[in-house]
Amino acid sequence: MSLTGRQLALAVLERQFLLERRRLDVAEAVRRLCALQAQEPASPYLALWNRVQDFAPEDLDAAFTDGRVVKSTLMRLTLHVVHAEDHEPYRAAMLSTLRASRLYDRRFTATGLAPADADALLPELARFLQQPRTGARVEQEVARRHGEHAHRVWWALRTFAPVHHAPTGGPWSFARPNSYRAAPAAAAVEPREAGAGVRRLLLSYLRAFGPASAQDFARFTLLTRTPTAEALRALGDRVVRVQGPGRTALFDLADATVPDDDTPAPPRLLPMWDSTLLAHAVPGRLVLAEYRPLVVRRNGDVLPCLLVDGQVVGVWRAVDGGLELTAFRRLGRVAWQGLTEEAARLSVLLADRDPAVHRRYGHWWDKGFPAVERTVVKG
């Protein structure tokens, strides 16, 4: 039996808890969701608000503070929040990609230093970051050995070294200047650990975003074809091939299920860079090709989106006095009622934390959208 495009979209929504909010501890929710994009500090909070029943932001504050969830550069060379127990396997999976992205970049090679020079700093960095330090303070320490090149060396190290972002307070736990601390497990990664890490990451990815293709996994991680193919072979019958609407091979966990075509999908207000919009090859499963340039900008910014029946239909932003919802097409009364109810609930959370959330990205609205319908929900 071949899965439809609608079923693939619904599968992602179900596994991302976007068909129904789940009553879960925040750390366990992060584990089951694989990873939450955290380039913008507010995004993990709003992602969990969309997914966890009775979500309390102070619970995520506490999980960051006590280290049950951590923030680090991982998949796609961007910041993610992951369960603490997943960080080291995921980093092992990504390490080769993370290192290559920095140590073979001209910004590092122009220093005349070799990869071994950066690696030699790792033990010292681990000791120095036993307590949180700002990036500026780390650069001062690196300058003792590499002088004028300290900025570029730290630029490379903060991507692939075993470090976490340390909570600094503020409405979303992390604020500038960024602060860093050593990851608890800071040993060198062995090749066998890299392979085991890719297998663990692939299983977690399929559990959270499957069914999916090898190309989808590559999009989510930036891993190359070889480690992905090796992981699929090594996982054996834990992963099965399923038939989708096209010719691309799709894979899923052997015990996974997929919703029926007629399963309803409730409205949601997704945050900046929500992982559901970044987990599959272009154009993705929840965004029509014609809308993708509107919500995924050329510089990579992924705007806060409105979901109706499992599809992106517009964007939202904070404005003075509430949230502005902009639809790219006409929506029915029921859809608008659901969106405005969600917006009213989100406004309550933002009022206590940051009513101007994502405001720094308002320039995208200044450039204009094909706004067919627009409304402001008062906070």
Side-chain angles (χ1 to χ4, degrees):
M1 178 179 177
S2 178
L3 299 174
T4 65
R6 167 76 174 174
Q7 283 182 293
L8 293 179
L10 288 169
V12 174
L13 293 170
E14 180 180 55
R15 297 177 196 196
Q16 285 289 302
F17 309 156
L18 291 170
L19 292 184
E20 181 182 2
R21 287 180 169 95
R22 307 292 180 87
R23 189 177 294 279
L24 287 171
D25 167 77
V26 292
E28 180 59 24
V30 170
R31 186 203 299 272
R32 291 174 61 178
L33 294 167
C34 182
L36 302 177
Q37 179 98 2
Q39 188 171 340
E40 181 71 5
S43 290
Y45 286 84
L46 303 192
L48 289 174
W49 175 83
N50 273 282
R51 293 159 164 88
V52 174
Q53 188 174 339
D54 300 324
F55 171 70
E58 54 269 24
D59 291 343
L60 185 54
D61 295 340
F64 282 128
T65 299
D66 63 28
R68 287 179 293 130
V69 298
V70 298
K71 179 176 176 177
S72 183
T73 301
L74 291 166
M75 287 69 73
R76 296 187 306 283
L77 316 179
T78 57
L79 290 169
H80 283 82
V81 169
V82 299
H83 193 282
E85 294 175 358
D86 287 329
H87 176 262
E88 199 55 28
Y90 290 2
R91 178 176 169 271
M94 294 302 308
L95 184 56
S96 178
T97 300
L98 295 172
R99 281 173 55 81
S101 74
R102 294 301 183 256
L103 297 183
Y104 301 107
D105 186 287
R106 192 175 183 280
R107 282 167 284 186
F108 180 80
T109 60
T111 66
L113 299 171
D117 295 311
D119 289 339
L121 283 171
L122 293 177
E124 295 177 28
L125 186 66
R127 288 191 293 271
F128 186 65
L129 292 180
Q130 288 305 302
Q131 62 182 28
R133 315 268 191 173
T134 65
R137 183 68 186 86
V138 179
E139 278 191 36
Q140 291 174 7
E141 187 69 11
V142 174
R144 292 172 53 234
R145 181 179 292 197
H146 293 298
E148 63 179 318
H149 301 311
H151 179 74
R152 293 186 179 189
V153 173
W154 170 234
W155 168 81
L157 286 172
R158 72 186 183 214
T159 295
F160 74 84
V163 298
H164 300 157
H165 281 233
T168 55
W172 311 114
S173 286
F174 299 91
R176 295 189 182 277
N178 292 326
S179 188
Y180 303 85
R181 65 185 176 199
V189 174
E190 299 292 336
R192 65 179 182 277
E193 294 173 318
V198 176
R199 293 192 292 275
R200 178 160 169 169
L201 178 54
L202 178 56
L203 288 172
S204 181
Y205 168 80
L206 291 174
R207 187 177 300 112
F209 299 107
S213 67
Q215 295 95 319
D216 291 328
F217 186 59
R219 156 74 173 172
F220 180 73
T221 59
L222 289 188
L223 289 174
T224 59
R225 181 181 303 175
T226 299
T228 301
E230 290 174 351
L232 285 170
R233 283 195 297 270
L235 288 170
D237 59 7
R238 298 179 67 183
V239 172
V240 297
R241 184 165 174 167
V242 297
Q243 182 64 47
R247 295 183 178 181
T248 301
L250 298 178
F251 301 92
D252 205 0
L253 302 182
D255 59 352
T257 59
V258 174
D260 293 332
D261 261 318
D262 58 357
T263 303
R268 292 286 186 259
L269 275 65
L270 300 181
M272 292 281 298
W273 289 291
D274 194 89
S275 294
T276 54
L277 306 183
L278 295 162
H280 301 91
V282 176
R285 296 181 180 175
L286 309 183
V287 188
L288 293 175
E290 64 193 277
Y291 294 159
R292 187 172 181 82
L294 302 177
V295 299
V296 182
R297 311 306 294 198
R298 288 185 177 180
N299 73 336
D301 284 349
V302 181
L303 302 186
C305 289
L306 305 177
L307 277 189
V308 169
D309 196 30
Q311 292 290 308
V312 169
V313 297
V315 292
W316 66 269
R317 65 169 173 170
V319 295
D320 292 339
L323 298 181
E324 180 187 84
L325 315 184
T326 299
F328 301 150
R329 63 174 173 81
R330 291 204 173 276
L331 305 177
R333 180 184 61 81
V334 173
W336 273 117
Q337 180 179 348
L339 287 171
T340 54
E341 289 174 355
E342 286 287 296
R345 287 193 287 268
L346 179 56
S347 293
V348 173
L349 181 148
L350 296 177
D352 291 337
R353 288 269 161 164
D354 179 13
V357 68
H358 300 327
R359 189 71 63 89
R360 62 182 288 201
Y361 300 96
H363 59 280
W364 295 122
W365 277 257
D366 297 338
K367 297 178 187 302
F369 290 104
V372 173
E373 294 182 314
R374 178 178 289 142
T375 189
V376 174
V377 179
K378 298 297 183 181

